[in-house]
Structures are given as structure tokens and as C-alpha cells.
Amino acid sequence: MNDMLKISQLKVAIDDKEILKGLDLEVGPGELHAIMGPNGSGKSTLGYALAGRDGYDITGGSIEFDGQDLADMEPEERAAAGLFLAFQYPVEIPGVNNAYFLRSALNAQRKARGVEEIDGMTFLKSVRESLKQLKMDEALLKRAVNEGFSGGEKKRNEIVQMAVLQPKLAVLDETDSGLDIDALKLVAEGINRLRDGKRSFVVITHYQRLLDYLNPDHVHVLSGGRIVESGGEELARRLEAEGYGFLEESAA
Amino acid sequence: MSETVEQVQNLIQQRYKAGFFTDIEADKVRAGLDEEIIAMISAKKNEPAWMLEWRLKAFHHWQTMKTPNWALLKVPAIDFQAIHYYAAPKQKNRPKSLDEVDPKLLETFDKLGVPLHERARLAGVAVDAVFDSVSVGTTFQKELKEAGVIFCSFSEAVQEHPELVQEYLGSVVPYTDNYFAALNSAVFSDGSFVYIPEGTRCPMELSTYFRINARDTGQFERTLIIAEPGAEVSYLEGCTAPMRDENQLHAAVVELVARKKAKIKYSTVQNWYPGDENGKGGIYNFVTKRGDCREDDARISWTQVETGSAITWKYPSCILRGDRSAGEFYSVALTHNHQQADTGTKMIHLGKDTTSKIISKGISAGKSNNTYRGLVRIAKRAENARNYTQCDSLLIGKTCGAHTFPYIESANATAKIEHEATTSRIGEDQLFYCRSRGLDEEDAVAMIVDGFCKEVFKELPMEFAVEAKALLEISLEGAVG
């Protein structure tokens, strides 16, 4: 079976400073991979490079997503191809209605894929369902995108977007940070509901506690711009208990 | 080859859809400004002697004045003797009804999306269409007459309702007010006149569409709206001009009079030709707009969406004379390429318990400069006056400028004045967020800008809010990337 995501020897630089220094990662269909690692190791850079943010220059290696080379694709083309990034810091867009934003995004993706636009009723039904599951107030639909949302509401709003957009691959960048335990559980359930054996996930996190709910297939440690250790769930538990200290020993 | 040309043409058309020229024979006075020209304009309009006298007084006053230079604008010297002050489409007789209007003119307004003939008229909106120096026709006049409302061209008002014109003309903006108001008073050729009788709520939206067509001319129109006690009216104006390499001057005066408990809502969608991407051509828009809340509990609200013109110099203002009277100013001003705008408002609080609200949204892109200039003045006798001002600027790109000059003068310690101002750049983070969800860059910019302007758009009448939004999108094409 082909990989959903195949990253080979990826090098990414920001302002000529190399952040990712030859990263390899393969994610199969239906798999959930967790990426952990100390601050400044390049975790968010990986997320942004996948989504195609300006200024994240690929200086070496390749990213293949669902059989397509991502390097020459615009962010919106990657989204239409089925890639979704849940932001660590979701952005506020004052005056732009949350529901209108999401519907426009969904229709832009559908248009790019040559699929008919979604009708208003079907859309509303789907988004209301997601809101309910994440225990979010429906009034948030009428508010401006992320404006005046609490930190937790912003993160849950990302999960609502993911549920409505139905990507093939979701990259979640520290979606668990800043969440209380109830919200964390809701977010984890939101992710698990979307696991259908085909959709893949890359979950970037600092903490074991989210992974307790997600049961990742693989756990990787990113350090100094490379994957330095891979394993199963037990690796996450070891990191939680021992910290990243042991990595430096093995690297030395 | 021809296909490429056509594509480029299409693109330009798309950027400024109203840029076409109507080939129609014009009755134009010679270029230049002197007493003879003014007398000619007055004679063409068959005006009474008092009208000509007033014009000449304005002209003599104008000769003593200098062009204002306090605005943050670079205004090239204007040769006032090179302009034709009157140009009108040739018509044998003045058409008695819209059926007699030259089809070419009707077609022009059709193309601009303002159909005048009965079949296609905008439902519920009466339109006065002004082409160069004259009004070519006004729709729904009969229906309005039944309600007691007078809505006609200014020239017609001078003939049919001279007592009203004489009483109110210059009573809000005297010809001595400023350089461009004096010029307008001397040479104004047409415009709209609205009179809403006591206790009457105007049964439909009123609208004037201003079109500049002839070359080397200026448009100098006057609008006068009178709302008697308890009257209510919502009025909208739209403006366009052909694309030309030369600059053209537009200097209008608008006067609003709101008597006791009267309400006037005045909206503008200004889309004069802005010049090309190198700053060549475009309209110089120097406009004086002022409303007088002359008696207690009167209310005047200005809403403007300014996307056109090479230069905009415009400060729709309210004189809050009556106790408890209220003034509002909602503005979206967008500048792109080499456009310059210096716009804002004046709220003059004279009466007790008067309130004013200012919401200004400036958007600058390209190499443009966008300035908000506003004055809030509280007179000594204006007990408990309140003002709220919110002034936001949005920058697109790194070569444009946004400036804010709020002036506050309070002579009464009971006044409450609040001012909030923000400046932001369309964030790379906002754009990336939208794009990562599947929206392309232009849609993303349009959405962010639309969100930024929401508070103002919601003040516009429905049909025009949609148009204004579309206009912003077109005006911003190519602003990013």
C-alpha cells in the first residue's frame, strides 16, 4: 500500500537558517503518528512546511502526499488535495462570520476538486453536529472567526473545521496545549471519531496525556531537526517519565 | 495576438467596469471661467435673476481665495481656465418624460447597472440620473408626488420650487465656506433636490447616479435635501467616469437640513475613475458635504464607501444644533496604486445632550496614501454632549501609508469623548490561515477586507451593500502578491 505521507531527507530553512536537517517520516493510510520533542526542535516548522507557509523554504529532500509532490503546490492546493493543519495558535479574522468562513473554505476545496458546492442545509447540519460533539455553543457560528474565543474554544474550533473539511491527512500542531482535562478529552474524541482506517494523522504534542486517549501507532522524537528516535506508545511514556535528557546521551 | 489584446482589455475592464465612454454630441460651453461663462450657464438654465446674482457673488469671493493646502495630499496645480464648466448631451427639446430621453443615454445608465426605463427599474428605489452637467431623468416622480415628496433635478427645482431653493440654498454650506464650495456655487450645473414634507416618511429609497462623460469638463453638482419636522428619508448616490489619461475635476456641494425629529440617512458609493496603476488620469474629487440638525431631536447619518478618484478630499459633517440631535459618520475609504484620500468628518456639537458617532475604516494598498481627518467640537453651551470615534486602518503591502488626524476641541467639561484607533497590516498569518483552509489569495484578501468593513457595510441599504462589497473586491485586484 502506498504511503499517505512520505517525507524523505527533508531540509527546511527560515531566513537561511536551517531548522529541519534531513527529516524522514512515513505515514501509512489510517495511521496516527505522534511527534514529540523539546522546544525549538522543529515541530511547528514541520507543520508549516507541510501546509506550505511562505518563508518555510524547502532546501533539500522531498514531501510526497498521497502520491503528489507537495513542493510546488500552493497552500490552498494542498488543502484541496486533502491536507489539513490544525494551528497551534488559530488566527482571528475580525468581522468574518465563522460559519461563512468555513462554508467558503469547504466550497473552495470542492470547487478545486470539481465537486458541486454544498447546499446550506447540509452544511449547517454537519457543522452543528460537530459543534454538539465538541460541546461548543452554536452561537460561535455567528461570531467572527476565532475573535473573542477563549483559548480552548479556538482549539476546539480547529477540530470542528477538521470534522467539516474531512481531510485525508490532518496535522495537529499542539492542539492539546492550553486545554483543561475536559476539553482535552473532547478534542481527543473529536480526533478519534475521524479515524476511519483511511484518514491519517500527524499529532505534534509535548505531552503524554493526549496520547493516552489517542493510542498512536507510532511515536517519534524530533530533535535538532531530525527524527532521532521512533517507537510505539511506550516511547511516549518513557519521555514523560524521563524527559528528553536520555536523547542527548544517545546522540553524544 | 488579438486574443492577448482582448484578454488585457478584459482585465482592465474588470478592474474598472465603468470606464467606457458614450459617444454623444455635447453642448459644451467654451473652456474658461469668468462672469460671461457663469451668465451663460445661468441663461442655459433659464434661471431667475437672484440665482445669477448669487453665482456671481460666489465667483467674486472665490477669486479672493487660495486652494487649501492643509490636507495630506499632493495636488498638482489645476488650471481652472482649461476646464469646460458646462457640457450637456444635445437634445432638441428638454424631454418631458423618460420615454423621450435619447436611447444612447438610457443605454449608458443601463450599462452602469442603473436602468431608468420602467421595465427594469430597481424596485423601491427612485433614481435621478445626472450625465455631465444635466439630469437626464428621474424615475418614480409620480409615485413620489402622491406622497408629497419632491425629488427632481436641481434645475427643475429652481424653476418649480424657487421659494424653497432660495430659502435653503447655501444655508448649510455658504459660498464663502471654502475654495471648492465657492467654485461650485459659481458654476454648479445640476444635481438633485429632495423635499420631504412634515411627518412624511419617504416611501422609497432615493438615489442619484452621477456620470461624468465628456472630456476636459468638470462636474459641479449640488444636492439639497430638506426634511421637514418628523420627516424621514434615505438617499444614496453613486458615481462613475470613463477611463482617461487626463485628470478631471469634480467639486460638489451637498446640503442637508433636518428639522425637528427629522431623520436623513445619506449614503455614497463613490467609484470615480481612480487613474491607472501608474497614477495617470483619474478624477480629483473635492467635495463639501454638510448636514444641519437644525432643530431638536433631528438625526443625520452619513455612510460612505470611497473606492474611486485619484484624489479624494471630503469631510461629510454634522452640525448638531438642536438639543438631543444626533450625527453619525460611517466610512470605508480604500486607496490602491497611486490614489490619495484625505477624508473624515466634523461633528459640531452645539445643542444639549447631542451625540455623535464616527466609524472610519481606511484601507491602503499599492503606493497609496489614506488619511483620516476628523474634528469633534463641543461648544460651551452643549451640556452633556457625547462622541464615540473608532478609527481603524488596514495596510496591504509595505509601500502604502495610513494616517490619522483626530482633532478634539471641547469647551464644556460635561462632554464625554471616546476615541479608539488601530492600525494593522493584513497579516501574513491571516492570509496563510485562510489559504490553508482552501481559499485562494484573492478570496482571502476580499474576505478579510470585507470583515474589516462590516460595521460600515451594515449601514448601507441592502442592494448597495452587495454592490459595495463587490466594488472593494474589484478595486483590490492585484493588491497582493
Side-chain angles (χ1 to χ4, degrees):
Chain A
M1 202 155 31
N2 285 330
D3 283 331
M4 180 65 81
L5 180 69
K6 185 172 186 207
I7 303 176
S8 313
Q9 280 301 302
L10 180 68
K11 292 181 182 171
V12 173
I14 305 170
D15 292 332
D16 295 328
K17 189 174 176 244
E18 197 166 77
I19 309 288
L20 297 184
K21 303 172 178 171
L23 183 142
D24 292 298
L25 182 68
E26 288 179 28
V27 180
E31 292 179 354
L32 190 148
H33 290 233
I35 301 206
M36 306 183 78
N39 288 327
S41 58
K43 298 193 300 296
S44 288
T45 301
L46 174 61
Y48 286 143
L50 286 171
R53 187 166 195 153
D54 277 348
Y56 289 71
D57 303 319
I58 296 178
T59 52
S62 66
I63 311 172
E64 209 176 276
F65 164 60
D66 200 23
Q68 291 172 275
D69 182 1
L70 279 189
D72 295 326
M73 289 166 76
E74 297 291 339
E76 59 270 26
E77 293 169 337
R78 300 181 192 205
L83 188 131
F84 178 86
L85 172 68
F87 281 52
Q88 184 180 0
Y89 304 107
V91 180
E92 297 185 6
I93 310 178
V96 176
N97 176 285
N98 207 20
Y100 174 72
F101 173 75
L102 187 49
R103 192 176 160 198
S104 305
L106 179 60
N107 280 332
Q109 290 195 17
R110 291 170 72 106
K111 199 175 154 200
R113 290 198 286 262
V115 184
E116 208 175 279
E117 289 199 351
I118 194 165
D119 71 274
M121 286 310 288
T122 315
F123 170 76
L124 263 185
K125 226 181 122 193
S126 132
V127 73
R128 279 195 179 132
E129 174 77 20
S130 299
L131 282 169
K132 214 170 120 193
Q133 286 166 341
L134 284 149
K135 297 211 163 69
M136 286 175 77
D137 191 342
E138 246 185 59
L140 289 179
L141 277 184
K142 292 185 185 147
R143 300 243 302 267
V145 179
N146 291 321
E147 197 185 33
F149 286 31
S150 71
E153 280 171 338
K154 284 182 185 173
K155 295 297 182 77
R156 278 184 281 165
N157 198 35
E158 295 288 285
I159 302 299
V160 170
Q161 290 182 4
M162 176 174 75
V164 171
L165 294 173
Q166 299 267 321
K168 287 181 186 160
L169 169 70
V171 180
L172 296 103
D173 187 5
E174 296 196 25
T175 303
D176 54 340
S177 63
L179 292 184
D180 62 37
I181 199 74
D182 293 331
L184 182 82
K185 216 174 145 188
L186 287 169
V187 162
E189 284 167 7
I191 297 168
N192 282 333
R193 255 194 307 278
L194 290 173
R195 290 176 76 178
D196 57 0
K198 285 184 239 151
R199 185 171 290 118
S200 310
F201 294 84
V202 173
V203 178
I204 297 168
T205 179
H206 269 297
Y207 306 107
Q208 158 69 21
R209 51 179 200 164
L210 175 65
L211 302 181
D212 283 341
Y213 295 107
L214 294 182
N215 307 109
D217 301 298
H218 299 275
V219 175
H220 310 276
V221 179
L222 179 59
S223 180
R226 288 187 195 92
I227 301 287
V228 293
E229 189 84 39
S230 294
E233 268 188 273
E234 75 293 343
L235 178 58
R237 280 193 287 274
R238 185 172 170 205
L239 290 170
E240 185 82 8
E242 298 179 25
Y244 295 106
F246 76 94
L247 293 170
E248 281 158 31
E249 285 160 33
S250 58
Chain B
M1 182 66 201
S2 68
E3 208 177 79
T4 321
V5 172
E6 202 178 270
Q7 274 170 357
V8 171
Q9 294 261 321
N10 283 343
L11 212 68
I12 294 168
Q13 290 266 314
Q14 217 176 28
R15 294 224 169 126
Y16 190 73
K17 286 187 176 156
F20 63 90
F21 166 71
T22 308
D23 188 8
I24 194 162
E25 212 183 330
D27 169 17
K28 223 177 194 182
V29 297
R30 66 170 164 82
L33 180 54
D34 48 44
E35 288 185 13
E36 192 189 58
I37 286 286
I38 293 165
M40 267 161 79
I41 293 171
S42 187
K44 276 183 185 297
K45 301 196 159 291
N46 194 25
E47 285 177 352
W50 59 263
M51 193 70 254
L52 175 60
E53 244 169 71
W54 194 76
R55 286 176 181 276
L56 290 172
K57 271 197 262 176
F59 175 60
H60 294 140
H61 188 78
W62 177 75
Q63 288 179 307
T64 67
M65 300 173 95
K66 286 201 173 81
T67 41
N69 59 4
W70 41 263
L72 198 65
L73 299 170
K74 281 185 202 138
V75 186
I78 299 168
D79 181 358
F80 290 96
Q81 297 304 330
I83 296 171
H84 296 265
Y85 287 86
Y86 184 89
K90 248 186 198 156
Q91 298 176 96
K92 284 197 188 73
N93 295 305
R94 211 190 127 69
K96 285 190 188 66
S97 76
L98 281 164
D99 302 334
E100 295 172 27
V101 172
D102 188 327
K104 263 191 193 167
L105 290 173
L106 293 178
E107 204 182 297
T108 300
F109 285 98
D110 254 8
K111 257 165 104 173
L112 293 168
V114 195
L116 300 174
H117 46 81
E118 217 151 332
R119 283 169 286 126
R121 280 175 193 174
L122 296 168
V125 184
V127 179
D128 182 27
V130 177
F131 190 90
D132 288 331
S133 304
V134 293
S135 163
V136 301
T138 311
T139 63
F140 291 112
Q141 271 189 315
K142 191 170 141 264
E143 290 83 349
L144 289 168
K145 210 171 183 178
E146 278 165 16
V149 171
I150 304 169
F151 179 41
C152 62
S153 73
F154 207 97
S155 310
E156 200 178 324
V158 172
Q159 302 300 323
E160 306 291 327
H161 312 282
E163 70 297 339
L164 285 173
V165 175
Q166 205 169 1
E167 182 181 349
Y168 287 99
L169 178 72
S171 74
V172 187
V173 181
Y175 62 75
T176 51
D177 192 79
N178 69 70
Y179 189 81
F180 292 101
L183 176 66
N184 172 286
S185 303
V187 301
F188 77 91
S189 42
D190 218 333
S192 298
F193 177 84
V194 176
Y195 176 83
I196 316 287
E198 185 162 353
T200 303
R201 185 174 181 173
C202 187
M204 56 182 87
E205 298 269 346
L206 304 183
S207 161
T208 302
Y209 197 96
F210 294 100
R211 175 70 175 173
I212 295 179
N213 188 63
R215 189 176 288 274
D216 306 325
T217 59
Q219 192 176 55
F220 306 91
E221 85 276 3
R222 266 193 108 89
T223 300
L224 174 57
I225 299 179
I226 303 152
E228 292 283 16
E232 281 180 38
V233 62
S234 168
Y235 175 92
L236 186 128
E237 60 174 0
C239 345
T240 57
M243 292 161 67
R244 291 215 172 91
D245 287 348
E246 306 86 43
N247 297 103
Q248 281 181 287
L249 179 63
H250 171 255
V253 171
V254 174
E255 298 179 275
L256 312 181
V257 178
R259 298 191 54 196
K260 197 173 164 68
K261 288 189 176 167
K263 282 185 196 164
I264 302 175
K265 184 174 172 65
Y266 192 106
S267 315
T268 303
V269 176
Q270 186 263 106
N271 185 27
W272 295 118
Y273 177 54
D276 70 9
E277 66 279 11
N278 299 313
K280 198 163 190 199
I283 301 290
Y284 294 163
N285 191 32
F286 291 88
V287 172
T288 307
K289 291 182 169 178
R290 196 172 301 150
D292 187 358
C293 288
R294 202 159 276 188
E295 295 169 25
D296 294 350
D297 301 293
R299 190 175 196 99
I300 288 177
S301 176
W302 298 99
T303 304
Q304 61 172 22
V305 176
E306 304 278 320
T307 61
S309 298
I311 297 174
T312 297
W313 179 96
K314 182 184 171 193
Y315 315 89
S317 304
C318 295
I319 300 167
L320 305 170
R321 206 182 297 275
D323 290 347
R324 295 173 304 281
S325 60
E328 292 174 326
F329 174 73
Y330 298 94
S331 170
V332 166
L334 179 145
T335 52
H336 189 198
N337 295 324
H338 292 262
Q339 280 177 280
Q340 310 175 61
D342 192 305
T343 184
T345 184
K346 289 188 273 188
M347 293 291 174
I348 312 295
H349 293 252
L350 302 175
K352 295 187 183 70
D353 301 306
T354 45
T355 56
S356 63
K357 182 174 174 187
I358 299 170
I359 307 283
S360 163
K361 306 278 181 176
I363 302 155
S364 345
K367 296 192 170 75
S368 69
N369 262 300
N370 201 325
T371 299
Y372 167 80
R373 189 182 300 277
L375 168 68
V376 176
R377 179 182 290 154
I378 315 282
K380 204 169 171 188
R381 62 189 163 89
E383 289 287 316
N384 297 315
R386 289 198 312 274
N387 163 266
Y388 173 75
T389 300
Q390 186 190 329
C391 206
D392 299 322
S393 307
L394 187 68
L395 302 166
I396 303 175
K398 292 187 174 129
T399 50
C400 53
H403 316 274
T404 305
F405 299 101
Y407 305 90
I408 296 169
E409 299 170 8
S410 178
N412 187 310
T414 61
K416 280 201 189 100
I417 300 168
E418 286 176 76
H419 181 94
E420 288 178 25
T422 65
T423 300
S424 53
R425 207 170 282 284
I426 278 206
E428 188 269 327
D429 55 342
Q430 284 179 331
L431 271 181
F432 174 61
Y433 189 68
C434 293
R435 295 180 71 193
S436 78
R437 296 300 178 253
L439 297 161
D440 69 30
E441 196 159 28
E442 271 184 5
D443 286 348
V445 170
M447 197 178 268
I448 294 166
V449 169
D450 182 43
F452 177 74
C453 301
K454 188 134 285 178
E455 279 166 282
V456 175
F457 285 172
K458 72 174 172 25
E459 295 298 322
L460 285 174
M462 247 288 257
E463 304 88 325
F464 301 104
V466 176
E467 193 186 341
K469 195 178 149 183
L471 197 55
L472 279 199
E473 284 176 22
I474 292 167
S475 306
L476 274 173
E477 254 171 45
V480 185

